[in-house]
């Protein structure tokens, strides 16, 4: 359904502990969005707290967001990973990858289950222990979402990439194996 998204909905993509920064990031992003959006949100957990992540936000043509490492800029980048434009998603993701935080992990993990292999390659190239730990923490709280993400990885490989990659060298499957190994190690 085509509707308007308000600042509180954008801020709701982050834990309440992010409070003022989440609202400020929501205000930044709200000013960049097309006035009407297809309202679709995914309910997830971060630190035991429910968040609602908007999906496929439509941005207006001019989207200059803060380009620094402040929490507000990083949160705005999280929301931009949900852009309907793959180049915008990739650009936003790259600003998050130097240090994935618990509150940014949902946005990174979501992109593992998407069809743009260049984005998946960026995530695979940034699997530092800190990043993997943040993603594993998120995955362990959202096991059903992780199952869906793994199904998407397999589906997109089968439809778009099976002619180019084997299951062993497809970046999506490599990420799944890395994260599954981390999950097993944490459970032991």
């Amino acid at each position: 359904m085509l509707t308007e998204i308000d600042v509180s909905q954008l801020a709701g993509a982050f834990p309440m502990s992010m409070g003022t920064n989440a609202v400020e990031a929501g205000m930044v992003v709200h000013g960049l969005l097309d006035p009407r959006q297809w309202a679709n949100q995914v309910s997830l957990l971060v630190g035991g707290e429910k968040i609602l992540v908007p999906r496929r936000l439509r941005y207006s043509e001019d989207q200059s967001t803060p380009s620094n490492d402040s929490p507000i800029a990083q949160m705005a980048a999280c929301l931009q990973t949900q852009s309907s434009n793959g180049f915008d998603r990739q650009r936003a993701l790259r600003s998050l990858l130097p240090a994935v935080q618990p509150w940014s992990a949902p946005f990174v993990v979501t992109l593992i289950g998407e069809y743009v292999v260049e984005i998946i390659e960026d995530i695979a190239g940034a699997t530092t222990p800190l990043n993997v730990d943040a993603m594993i923490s998120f995955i362990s709280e959202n096991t059903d979402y992780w199952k869906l993400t793994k199904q998407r990885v397999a589906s997109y490989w089968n439809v778009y990439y099976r002619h180019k990659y084997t299951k062993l060298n497809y970046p999506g499957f490599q990420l799944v194996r890395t994260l599954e190994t981390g999950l097993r190690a944490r459970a032991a």
Side-chain angles (χ1 to χ4, degrees):
M1 176 167 83
L2 203 56
T3 187
E4 290 186 26
I5 291 183
D6 63 26
V7 171
S8 66
Q9 288 172 299
L10 296 169
F14 302 98
M16 295 285 276
S17 62
M18 302 302 293
T20 304
N21 286 342
V23 171
E24 288 185 40
M27 289 173 20
V28 168
V29 170
H30 188 265
L32 302 171
L33 293 175
D34 283 344
R36 297 186 47 91
Q37 302 281 326
W38 290 102
N40 186 14
Q41 296 176 311
V42 178
S43 177
L44 301 167
L45 293 173
V46 172
E49 185 178 335
K50 181 180 168 183
I51 61 169
L52 293 171
V53 176
R55 297 286 290 142
R56 289 299 182 259
L57 296 171
R58 290 184 12 239
Y59 284 80
S60 59
E61 290 300 313
D62 179 34
Q63 13 169 336
S64 53
T65 59
S67 59
N68 57 45
D69 292 333
S70 74
I72 294 166
Q74 292 295 289
M75 293 168 92
C78 285
L79 292 167
Q80 280 191 302
T81 66
Q82 302 306 298
S83 172
S84 58
N85 181 310
F87 293 109
D88 294 336
R89 289 195 303 274
Q90 185 175 31
R91 186 174 26 261
L93 170 70
R94 286 179 174 170
S95 72
L96 300 173
L97 288 177
V100 176
Q101 301 298 315
W103 47 266
S104 65
F107 299 90
V108 176
V109 171
T110 294
L111 294 174
I112 294 171
E114 293 196 2
Y115 61 90
V116 182
V117 73
E118 293 83 1
I119 290 175
I120 299 167
E121 288 170 342
D122 286 349
I123 299 168
T127 53
T128 65
L130 175 67
N131 288 353
V132 169
D133 189 56
M135 289 188 276
I136 288 170
S137 293
F138 169 73
I139 289 167
S140 65
E141 283 191 287
N142 297 277
T143 55
D144 288 343
Y145 188 71
W146 178 236
K147 286 177 192 172
L148 178 62
T149 300
K150 292 188 299 184
Q151 291 169 352
R152 287 177 174 157
V153 167
S155 179
Y156 286 128
W157 169 78
N158 187 47
V159 171
Y160 296 110
Y161 299 112
R162 97 180 285 141
H163 67 280
K164 183 176 179 182
Y165 297 98
T166 66
K167 283 189 173 183
L168 287 175
N169 69 2
Y170 179 59
F173 286 129
Q174 291 172 341
L175 276 166
V176 166
R177 285 191 297 274
T178 297
L179 294 169
E180 288 288 322
T181 299
L183 279 168
R184 284 190 298 277
R186 184 177 283 190

